[in-house]
Amino acid sequence: DSGVTQTPKHLITATGQRVTLRCSPRSGDLSVYWYQQSLDQGLQFLIQYYNGEERAKGNILERFSAQQFPDLHSELNLSSLELGDSALYFCASSLRTGAFFSGANVLTFGAGSRLTVL
Amino acid sequence: AQTVTQSQPEMSVQEAETVTLSCTYDTSESDYYLFWYKQPPSRQMILVIRQEAYKQQNATENRFSVNFQKAAKSFSLKISDSQLGDAAMYFCAYSAGGTSYGKLTFGQGTILTVHP
């Protein structure tokens, strides 16, 4: 158990639908990152939050959005789903943004949420 | 933009032998970090080893070590005394430092098979 909890583990839905993926970071970690792993695109960074604020955006579609709540858990919302959105979505957390304490600032990944769009 | 290339889609090794996985990267940054992650069939991403670009000494973690060639932008992973549990997909990853830390750019991955 990495300490990063993602729910649900598996999700099957239809095109056009909307889903929410949830992530609870490791205790004490302030930064949350979302990654997508698909056969076509490989592993790619989507978005980062630090202590409730968006810090960085990657290749995240406009149909996707995320937020981090005061208790530091994060949700990734995927809407108007398409077949190509089928993927494994990872959440990772780290102690703080930046690498000032790089010895402790390791990204720890959750087990992922597997989304299948039919 | 930074890129990470793993030129070996698949590698195999005999149990107890040594194997080296290759990775090259491209960046114009001076402050960056390199990582090797392991993804077993469970799909969990597990950090194997990390290298800070400013450190000349190659990182080592038990049976895992890296050969970091900064000028050549090469970052290979050596697994010594391979074990059956080492079988997995291995990803090389890059992160710039500072406020960009954690935005990992991954390579395509190398599937490692360990034969008993």
Side-chain angles (χ1 to χ4, degrees):
Chain A
D1 183 3
S2 68
V4 179
T5 304
Q6 289 188 248
T7 58
K9 285 187 170 53
H10 302 276
L11 189 56
I12 301 174
T13 189
T15 54
Q17 295 299 304
R18 182 179 188 274
V19 298
T20 297
L21 309 180
R22 181 188 169 102
C23 169
S24 293
R26 199 176 50 166
S27 177
D29 284 357
L30 300 175
S31 273
V32 169
Y33 310 78
W34 286 97
Y35 285 83
Q36 179 195 59
Q37 184 177 27
S38 65
L39 289 175
D40 292 341
Q41 304 290 332
L43 267 160
Q44 58 179 354
F45 168 75
L46 295 179
I47 197 164
Q48 178 202 358
Y49 280 82
Y50 173 70
N51 205 19
E53 294 186 3
E54 181 184 305
R55 278 302 176 97
K57 263 187 174 180
N59 298 323
I60 187 166
L61 300 172
E62 286 190 10
R63 299 182 287 107
F64 296 0
S65 65
Q67 55 183 326
Q68 186 180 27
F69 295 87
D71 66 352
L72 300 178
H73 91 272
S74 177
E75 294 181 355
L76 179 66
N77 301 297
L78 315 174
S79 62
S80 302
L81 286 168
E82 301 175 0
L83 296 178
D85 297 328
S86 295
L88 189 56
Y89 291 85
F90 284 107
C91 169
S93 71
S94 70
L95 180 59
R96 62 179 66 232
T97 194
F100 305 109
F101 298 93
S102 61
N105 203 17
V106 172
L107 265 71
T108 301
F109 282 77
S113 293
R114 178 167 293 285
L115 173 66
T116 302
V117 182
L118 301 176
Chain B
Q2 293 84 8
T3 58
V4 177
T5 303
Q6 294 177 248
S7 59
Q8 306 155 316
E10 296 184 36
M11 291 286 284
S12 64
V13 64
Q14 290 293 132
E15 198 175 3
E17 297 295 310
T18 296
V19 64
T20 299
L21 308 184
S22 300
C23 173
T24 58
Y25 61 95
D26 188 26
T27 183
S28 58
E29 302 282 344
S30 58
D31 177 23
Y32 60 88
Y33 297 76
L34 297 164
F35 308 83
W36 279 98
Y37 278 88
K38 168 185 177 181
Q39 187 176 42
S42 67
R43 308 301 270 175
Q44 176 79 50
M45 294 291 288
I46 302 165
L47 177 66
V48 175
I49 200 164
R50 179 184 72 243
Q51 175 79 43
E52 293 89 339
Y54 64 83
K55 288 187 178 178
Q56 293 187 348
Q57 187 173 7
N58 289 324
T60 300
E61 289 286 344
N62 301 314
R63 298 181 296 106
F64 299 88
S65 62
V66 298
N67 183 5
F68 174 45
Q69 300 289 325
K70 192 171 184 178
K73 294 181 180 175
S74 170
F75 183 61
S76 61
L77 174 70
K78 185 171 84 171
I79 306 174
S80 303
D81 186 24
S82 296
Q83 301 175 359
L84 295 177
D86 295 334
M89 175 82 90
Y90 286 81
F91 290 96
C92 179
Y94 165 99
S95 172
T99 55
S100 295
Y101 182 80
K103 291 171 57 179
L104 298 174
T105 300
F106 286 90
Q108 305 93 316
T110 297
I111 300 172
L112 177 65
T113 303
V114 181
H115 298 288

